[in-house]
Amino acid sequence: KEVVELGGLHVVGTGRHHTERLDNQLRGRAGTAGAFQPRPGVYTYTGQASEHVSLPPKTQPEGPVFPVTVTGLPGGCWQFRIDLSDSHWEGGTFCARGPSLHEVGRGGWMRWDFVVVVVADTSTFHCSSEETVVPSQPRAGAVSRFSCVGSNDHLNTGPVTMSGTSTVVGAEDQAVGSRKMPVLHVREQAAFSGGQTGTYRADVWFGANGLPLREKWSTQVRTPSPLGTATMTGGGEYRIASLTPRS
């Protein structure tokens, strides 16, 4: 059970093959099987977050409990979705690329109730230059660049480009309950251009199986409107409360 929670695979060897090549091949396959594949299900995270929009002014607090749904996909990929409230969710699609983990797309949905009108919008981004969130050799200071193009289904802003860098801060330990789990601390910094402009910054702590165990982020996005430019600022922090998901 502990091996699975750490994201590993427990392999028991029962004998050797007639060639060293076969032994080495099986060791390699056993070492990568199941890597960056968190167990599907609904995990419990805790934390606090909030968003504020300037036009018209409104603030939405979120927390303290966030359900996170992990869904397996073909090709060694999976989706991560966190429901920050009944009016806001964010998510990303991750794929194992050999010994590294990439984020190949992201998106979110937000609803603002201004009493006289309710505005809901879904954003979807696909990354032509994928973000390497866990590199094959995660040395502190290692930097990878990424670029994603997205759109909004309601705001109709036109294409929006999100480009930036992912930097390895280093290996650390993250407390989950009474246990300390090994994690890789990665810092994301990005800028939005095109139909929307702004900035995004996040510190993410990835577990051995690729699951984000903790995240701290802040963002500012400016969107043109008939009444002027609306600025949305937000941020918060969440961390996993239990490594065992509900199926």
Side-chain angles (χ1 to χ4, degrees), residues 15-230:
R16 299 181 65 87
H17 287 79
H18 61 281
T19 68
E20 185 178 359
R21 180 184 64 82
L22 284 175
D23 283 332
N24 291 336
Q25 186 179 44
L26 290 172
R27 286 193 194 97
R29 289 180 179 175
T32 58
F36 302 133
Q37 286 288 333
R39 293 169 59 188
V42 180
Y43 295 80
T44 299
Y45 285 63
T46 59
Q48 298 288 340
S50 68
E51 284 79 35
H52 175 80
V53 67
S54 63
L55 189 66
K58 184 177 178 65
T59 299
Q60 293 187 161
E62 299 163 335
V65 178
F66 307 124
V68 166
T69 304
V70 173
T71 306
L73 299 173
C77 300
W78 46 277
Q79 287 182 332
F80 175 97
R81 166 174 160 162
I82 180 166
D83 284 85
L84 296 157
S85 71
D86 60 2
S87 297
H88 183 199
W89 62 259
E90 299 284 341
T93 300
F94 297 87
C95 294
R97 304 295 196 210
S100 61
L101 180 66
H102 290 207
E103 187 168 9
V104 303
R106 62 178 69 197
W109 173 81
M110 189 173 294
R111 179 181 61 200
W112 294 90
D113 187 348
F114 298 108
V115 183
V116 296
V117 63
V118 176
V119 178
D121 182 72
T122 301
S123 61
T124 305
F125 285 82
H126 300 283
C127 303
S128 57
S129 178
E130 299 175 359
E131 179 182 359
T132 305
V133 294
V134 180
S136 57
Q137 297 181 347
R139 298 184 301 270
V143 179
S144 66
R145 297 187 178 276
F146 65 92
S147 180
C148 311
V149 177
S151 61
N152 299 280
D153 68 348
H154 176 82
L155 297 178
N156 194 26
T157 61
V160 180
T161 298
M162 179 183 185
S163 57
T165 59
S166 179
T167 304
V168 175
V169 178
E172 302 174 8
D173 289 329
Q174 175 64 45
V176 180
S178 61
R179 300 172 57 183
K180 287 188 176 182
M181 310 298 295
V183 295
L184 184 69
H185 181 183
V186 176
R187 179 165 296 142
E188 300 175 334
Q189 298 183 89
F192 297 99
S193 60
Q196 293 174 300
T197 59
T199 57
Y200 174 82
R201 176 187 169 112
D203 283 82
V204 188
W205 289 261
F206 290 92
N209 60 0
L211 184 67
L213 301 186
R214 177 186 173 195
E215 181 170 350
K216 183 178 182 179
W217 82 98
S218 62
T219 188
Q220 182 182 81
V221 179
R222 294 176 291 275
T223 304
S225 77
L227 301 178
T229 299

